Amino acid sequence: MVLHLQSNLTLSQGVRLMFYALTPSESTFREMGEVQDYVQQATPYFVGLMIIELVITWFHKSQTVFRMNDALTSISAGIVSRLPELLGRGIELTGYIYIWENFRLSVLPWDSPWTWWLAFLGVDFAYYWLHRMSHEVNILWAAHQVHHSSEDYNLSTALRQSVLQKYLSWIIGNLGPLELILNTPSHHRVHHGRNKYCIDKNYAGTLIIWDRIFGTFEPENEKVIYGLTHPINAFEPFWVQSHHLLYIWKTFWATPGISNKLSVIFKGPGWEPGKPRLGCLEDIPTISGKEIPHNPQIPAWLQFYVVLHFIFILGLYMHIFANKSALSEITILGGIGYIMLTLTSIGLMMENRSSVDVLETIRCFVFLFLGLGCFTGPFTLVTEGPSDPPFTSGNQDTEPFQGRTMKISCH
């Protein structure tokens, strides 16, 4: 399998990208087409940070910070969140372009530092309120709860949503005066807690000043226990993604009255008839500090098998993204389907479900069939033509396979 990954970032830029430390001149572009795919380019640096986290915590605490089942579930959620991008431009980008073309009030100079800083403050302010709504509006929480479902707190947890969160929170304690301005690791640990004092607190993206202004700030004081107030105890991706939607559906039909039914959707996740908009804090289970994360045990050979096939599916995922402009829609749809089938089977195996035997047998037959058919097996996209290979030298503004003949070779 040959992957063509384009990266125009220097090593310094890649490292600084992980900490939101690119300068205005490095992250300002005249045209939409010039904006780089930072998520794709950040991948190797993010993996590097995960390895560093693993090594440091091993020496610091004499144990690994990752549980295999939880970490693979988080990475799976990251994969699932990006799969729709293979089918076209995201709703966010399409909506942004439409609003810009039809409803913009004015045009600010694109290369002015003042424009960059104004946009930074505007985006951070908007992020606070969107994030807060994602906790306080039940239908939005149905999507955002995926990010909070992990009972661990490490770099892999950041992959349970589409944007990267703050890093190295497991080793950084208090940052002194910066705690007053920035959303530091301590503040974000509180946000991920299910302790009563942590609920609906510290929504900030970069600047914690929004929480201080609007009354949602809470400092870290007692041990934080991570995860949902009612843990889902699952690693299967479909259930992780959709269990709260199913809960809303059942509650909607069980709740009498049109007004109450609408409140089930648009009020807080803890709302019930006769209670405040966000529900009652007393209804949240009390945390003792001795909670044990859900961690079903599976044999060592099965752990190896799961990791091996997860690595394979990760390679397939990267291959499809790197070559999506050269692959047919049928190939992409088939790849998405096989990725979801594999992640589901892996999730059930990590839950030690006996019912996974039939599904995994079917998946293995699909694996063999598609592998022999050159779909998911090792194949190389070969381009013919006098021009340079994709993403090497030459004009970087042109499409990578423009003016070339593509062949698929099996090995």
Side-chain angles (χ1 to χ4, degrees):
M1 181 184 294
V2 175
L3 303 180
H4 299 303
L5 297 176
Q6 183 182 24
S7 178
N8 297 322
L9 297 179
T10 65
L11 178 61
S12 171
Q13 290 174 326
V15 172
R16 286 185 286 114
L17 175 63
M18 294 291 94
F19 301 93
Y20 303 98
L22 292 180
T23 64
S25 62
E26 292 174 314
S27 54
T28 303
F29 304 93
R30 183 183 185 90
E31 302 292 341
M32 180 74 70
E34 298 175 4
V35 180
Q36 303 187 39
D37 187 348
Y38 287 116
V39 174
Q40 189 75 12
Q41 296 194 11
T43 298
Y45 299 95
F46 186 82
V47 172
L49 284 178
M50 290 179 66
I51 295 173
I52 293 173
E53 178 183 38
L54 187 65
V55 172
I56 292 181
T57 51
W58 176 262
F59 285 102
H60 183 64
K61 300 180 179 180
S62 298
Q63 62 183 17
T64 176
V65 72
F66 294 106
R67 286 183 298 133
M68 183 200 71
N69 44 28
D70 190 87
L72 294 188
T73 301
S74 294
I75 299 172
S76 296
I79 291 174
V80 172
S81 69
R82 292 205 69 205
L83 290 179
E85 297 178 22
L86 292 171
L87 303 177
R89 292 189 298 184
I91 296 176
E92 300 92 341
L93 179 59
T94 303
Y96 174 85
I97 293 175
Y98 178 81
I99 293 174
W100 163 257
E101 292 179 344
N102 295 276
F103 301 104
R104 66 178 182 269
L105 299 177
S106 63
V107 179
L108 301 177
W110 71 272
D111 55 351
S112 169
W114 288 105
T115 301
W116 192 95
W117 285 108
L118 181 62
F120 167 75
L121 290 174
V123 168
D124 204 53
F125 177 76
Y127 175 86
Y128 168 84
W129 282 105
L130 177 60
H131 192 185
R132 183 170 175 173
M133 288 173 59
S134 296
H135 281 255
E136 297 185 355
V137 178
N138 206 12
I139 193 64
L140 299 181
W141 171 248
H144 188 59
Q145 60 81 28
V146 175
H147 178 58
H148 286 265
S149 62
S150 174
E151 294 181 89
D152 292 339
Y153 188 67
N154 50 52
L155 287 181
S156 71
T157 308
L159 298 177
R160 290 205 184 204
Q161 66 174 23
S162 59
V163 295
L164 303 178
Q165 299 291 331
K166 297 293 183 285
Y167 303 124
L168 304 182
S169 302
W170 42 265
I171 196 170
I172 299 176
N174 188 285
L175 294 180
L178 293 179
E179 301 281 333
L180 299 173
I181 302 173
L182 298 179
N183 182 19
T184 63
S186 175
H187 300 332
H188 200 63
R189 282 195 293 267
V190 170
H191 178 72
H192 271 263
R194 53 183 163 119
N195 314 56
K196 288 186 178 181
Y197 86 93
C198 298
I199 301 302
D200 295 336
K201 301 297 182 182
N202 300 359
Y203 296 113
T206 301
L207 302 176
I208 200 66
I209 59 174
W210 310 122
D211 287 286
R212 294 183 182 276
I213 291 172
F214 298 110
T216 53
F217 173 74
E218 186 69 37
E220 183 179 16
N221 50 62
E222 62 184 58
K223 179 183 178 181
V224 177
I225 303 298
Y226 303 113
L228 300 174
T229 56
H230 298 83
I232 58 174
N233 295 335
F235 303 113
E236 192 276 308
F238 277 110
W239 183 249
V240 172
Q241 296 281 340
S242 62
H243 74 93
H244 195 74
L245 281 173
L246 180 61
Y247 168 78
I248 292 177
W249 176 262
K250 291 180 178 179
T251 306
F252 178 86
W253 291 110
T255 303
I258 296 298
S259 176
N260 286 335
K261 288 182 183 297
L262 292 176
S263 294
V264 168
I265 298 175
F266 296 109
K267 288 187 177 180
W271 178 86
E272 293 178 0
K275 293 185 177 181
R277 180 177 68 89
L278 299 181
C280 297
L281 200 60
E282 294 75 20
D283 294 338
I284 296 175
T286 300
I287 296 299
S288 67
K290 300 179 181 179
E291 285 73 15
I292 300 176
H294 178 61
N295 192 30
Q297 300 299 307
I298 61 176
W301 68 266
L302 185 55
Q303 294 183 40
F304 176 79
Y305 178 86
V306 164
V307 172
L308 180 65
H309 281 267
F310 191 87
I311 291 174
F312 174 83
I313 211 64
L314 190 60
L316 174 62
Y317 159 82
M318 293 175 64
H319 173 83
I320 294 177
F321 259 95
N323 300 286
K324 61 182 179 181
S325 61
L327 299 176
S328 68
E329 293 181 359
I330 297 297
T331 300
I332 292 176
L333 286 173
I336 291 174
Y338 182 72
I339 288 173
M340 292 303 304
L341 176 63
T342 301
L343 295 180
T344 299
S345 186
I346 285 176
L348 294 174
M349 282 188 280
M350 292 190 298
E351 293 176 18
N352 210 10
R353 299 270 197 95
S354 58
S355 57
V356 74
D357 295 346
V358 175
L359 180 64
E360 180 60 13
T361 300
I362 294 173
R363 192 195 72 82
C364 286
F365 275 113
V366 174
F367 172 85
L368 293 173
F369 174 76
L370 295 179
L372 292 174
C374 256
F375 177 54
T376 62
F379 61 90
T380 306
L381 294 177
V382 181
T383 58
E384 294 180 347
S387 52
D388 297 311
F391 309 140
T392 53
S393 58
N395 186 359
Q396 297 294 324
D397 295 330
T398 59
E399 291 294 326
F401 293 97
Q402 185 175 0
R404 302 173 186 174
T405 303
M406 184 188 72
K407 294 182 178 180
I408 297 180
S409 302
C410 304
H411 301 290

